[in-house]
Amino acid sequence: MDGLSRRRMLLTGGALGAFGALGAAAPAAARSLWTWSPAASVAGAGAGVDPEWVWDEEVDQLIAAVIDRGDVPGVNEQLRTWTRNDQPPPAGLPADVRDFMARASQLPSWAERGKLEAAAKFSEGRSLYLNVLNGIGGGMLSTAIPREARSVYHSKGGADMEDRVAKTSLLGFAIGDLKAYRADGDCIVQAVKTRMVHAAVRHLLPRSPAWTQGSGGQKIPISQADILVTWHSLATYAMQKLLEWKVRVTPTEAAAYLHVWQVTAHMLGVRDEYIPATWDAANAQSQQILDPILATTREGVELTDILLGQLAEQTSPGGIDRPLVNAFARYLVGDRVADMDRIPREPFWEKTIELVWPKLVAYREGLIQLPLVPPLAWTVDEAARQYILFYLTKGKGTAIEIPDTNRPASR
């Protein structure tokens, strides 16, 4: 795997097999009662039902039937040929799957082509920041989200985290691609496939005793609330950090970046009444449903170690070792989340990154001249680039597929 052997990953990232012996993890903090108003959504109105108790009924019934009748291998074979937004669903799919995909691949009536194009240009110009934030930062947040960490681990993809991360990167890179929602892009394709994978996981995980024991009472995984939590760990978090870093973001760019994530949420099956209409609304929703539920789980700690081990191994040829990777991850998410993920403290590298990263950003934003940027800043920059290159390269060699089983040890 381009220098990342399975044996070395097990040695440096923590043996995945150790997960099989995990029991119930510490309970997460309770989420606040749902008070976010649908008046703040893109729909502007709604029933106000707590998304904790809302799933995706149409696709859930469909994919449950696909799994139960043994159609998953054939469907996945057809899905591999569906690669562009302008392609109709493959003719070889079962009629019910093809009909659903045809409906699900339609953009919402409120999607604005101009904003989607502006978002693509914004993402292109800020690609390093956004990929670092959504990749490393969002990854560290995800492992501190108890339900997400457990769902990832106990589902089929949890048995091969390299491939699992590569598949996740397909949608992430599609959102930030210049062609994201153009005819020759693939954001619609990856979002619809991901929506179907979510449905499969909802059908399969309740059959897993290991997941059920640590689910904290949740009977069906990946509710609309869970998807929103993940959405905020990516889109809302990234915008907050860009502003914190004093990256120049115009109101038009901010609105465009929000819009591409709004459309993507819709394409993932989130009801419009839950999709924030503004960044203020997004921040308010994030404070209610993401911030209170972050917590430590043994699954999340192990996943963190695996992900940071992958990054350290990929960047080591350039002289970057695990302590710097630990410090950079801690810098991105802050001490609270880093402590939840049990990321080790690295005093020297933490102080170094706190010094050089703001200067590197300032240089990129044209706020300071080159001589003021410490040479070590470029080392940190290269670590980030290697991370992006690694996952982008792996992404080209994989495809989002519907699972038909849980993690082998979790059946």
Side-chain angles (χ1 to χ4, degrees):
M1 290 191 175
D2 298 329
L4 183 59
S5 71
R6 191 172 302 273
R7 177 176 174 80
R8 288 192 64 199
M9 191 193 80
L10 291 176
L11 291 173
T12 62
L16 281 171
F19 280 104
L22 294 178
R31 181 170 67 87
S32 303
L33 293 176
W34 177 255
T35 59
W36 193 82
S37 172
S41 71
V42 295
V49 176
D50 189 339
E52 174 76 0
W53 307 106
V54 180
W55 290 270
D56 197 348
E57 185 174 352
E58 179 184 12
V59 69
D60 287 352
Q61 293 179 353
L62 169 67
I63 299 302
V66 169
I67 293 172
D68 291 345
R69 69 195 185 208
D71 281 351
V72 170
V75 168
N76 282 333
E77 182 179 359
Q78 291 295 311
L79 288 180
R80 292 187 199 104
T81 69
W82 193 48
T83 59
R84 288 172 48 121
N85 292 335
D86 60 354
Q87 283 181 272
L93 287 167
D96 53 354
V97 177
R98 188 173 62 250
D99 290 346
F100 166 77
M101 290 171 58
R103 294 191 302 274
S105 61
Q106 300 302 308
L107 292 180
S109 60
W110 44 265
E112 298 181 38
R113 179 60 58 184
K115 283 187 176 181
L116 293 175
E117 289 295 318
K121 292 179 181 178
F122 173 73
S123 294
E124 181 184 39
R126 299 290 186 267
S127 60
L128 174 64
Y129 306 139
L130 294 174
N131 282 307
V132 164
L133 289 169
N134 289 327
I136 306 175
M140 296 302 97
L141 281 173
S142 73
T143 54
I145 298 170
R147 286 182 179 177
E148 185 165 350
R150 293 181 186 122
S151 293
V152 167
Y153 171 70
H154 292 292
S155 62
K156 184 178 181 179
D160 186 347
M161 279 304 296
E162 295 177 67
D163 188 58
R164 173 67 171 78
V165 173
K167 284 178 166 60
T168 301
S169 74
L170 290 175
L171 178 59
F173 280 111
I175 294 170
D177 191 81
L178 191 60
K179 300 184 293 184
Y181 281 101
R182 293 179 185 173
D184 56 343
D186 68 342
C187 203
I188 292 174
V189 168
Q190 306 300 356
V192 173
K193 288 181 180 180
T194 300
R195 185 177 176 185
M196 292 192 291
V197 169
H198 286 169
V201 173
R202 281 191 288 266
H203 183 60
L204 293 167
L205 269 187
R207 304 178 180 181
S208 163
W211 176 82
T212 301
Q213 290 169 9
S215 68
Q218 187 181 39
K219 302 300 183 184
I220 305 173
I222 317 181
S223 68
Q224 297 258 300
D226 292 327
I227 298 175
L228 289 167
V229 165
T230 300
W231 191 91
H232 288 299
S233 74
L234 297 168
T236 307
Y237 160 75
M239 182 54 66
Q240 289 171 346
K241 296 299 289 187
L242 290 177
L243 297 178
E244 177 186 320
W245 291 347
K246 296 181 173 57
V247 174
R248 290 179 294 181
V249 181
T250 68
T252 299
E253 289 172 329
Y257 186 63
L258 175 61
H259 192 64
V260 73
W261 280 98
Q262 290 168 329
V263 172
T264 302
H266 175 95
M267 302 306 292
L268 288 170
V270 177
R271 294 185 183 180
D272 289 352
E273 70 172 273
Y274 299 133
I275 303 173
T278 66
W279 281 118
D280 285 344
N283 288 326
Q285 189 184 90
S286 180
Q287 289 171 7
Q288 181 175 136
I289 67 172
L290 171 61
D291 297 356
I293 57 89
L294 296 173
T296 299
T297 63
R298 284 180 285 178
E299 291 96 332
V301 170
E302 291 284 351
L303 289 172
T304 298
D305 191 45
I306 290 168
L307 295 174
L308 293 181
Q310 289 176 344
L311 173 56
E313 188 165 350
Q314 283 302 306
T315 56
S316 60
I320 310 303
D321 56 9
R322 180 64 181 266
L324 189 149
V325 169
N326 291 340
F328 192 38
R330 182 174 281 273
Y331 178 78
L332 290 175
V333 297
D335 288 339
R336 176 181 174 236
V337 171
D339 288 344
M340 291 175 181
D341 285 336
R342 302 290 191 263
I343 300 174
R345 299 299 305 242
E346 309 288 353
F348 170 78
W349 286 113
E350 288 172 33
K351 291 180 181 178
T352 302
I353 290 173
E354 288 173 2
L355 172 67
V356 303
W357 186 259
K359 287 183 170 57
L360 176 61
V361 173
Y363 169 70
R364 286 180 172 276
E365 295 303 302
L367 301 177
I368 62 174
Q369 298 301 310
L370 180 61
L372 295 179
V373 181
L376 188 58
W378 304 111
T379 303
V380 176
D381 191 18
E382 182 60 20
R385 288 180 181 278
Q386 288 293 331
Y387 178 91
I388 296 165
L389 178 63
F390 169 53
Y391 285 119
L392 180 60
T393 300
K394 284 182 68 63
K396 291 180 179 177
T398 191
I400 297 175
E401 296 183 334
I402 298 170
D404 56 2
T405 185
N406 292 314
R407 180 187 179 93
S410 298
R411 289 180 183 176

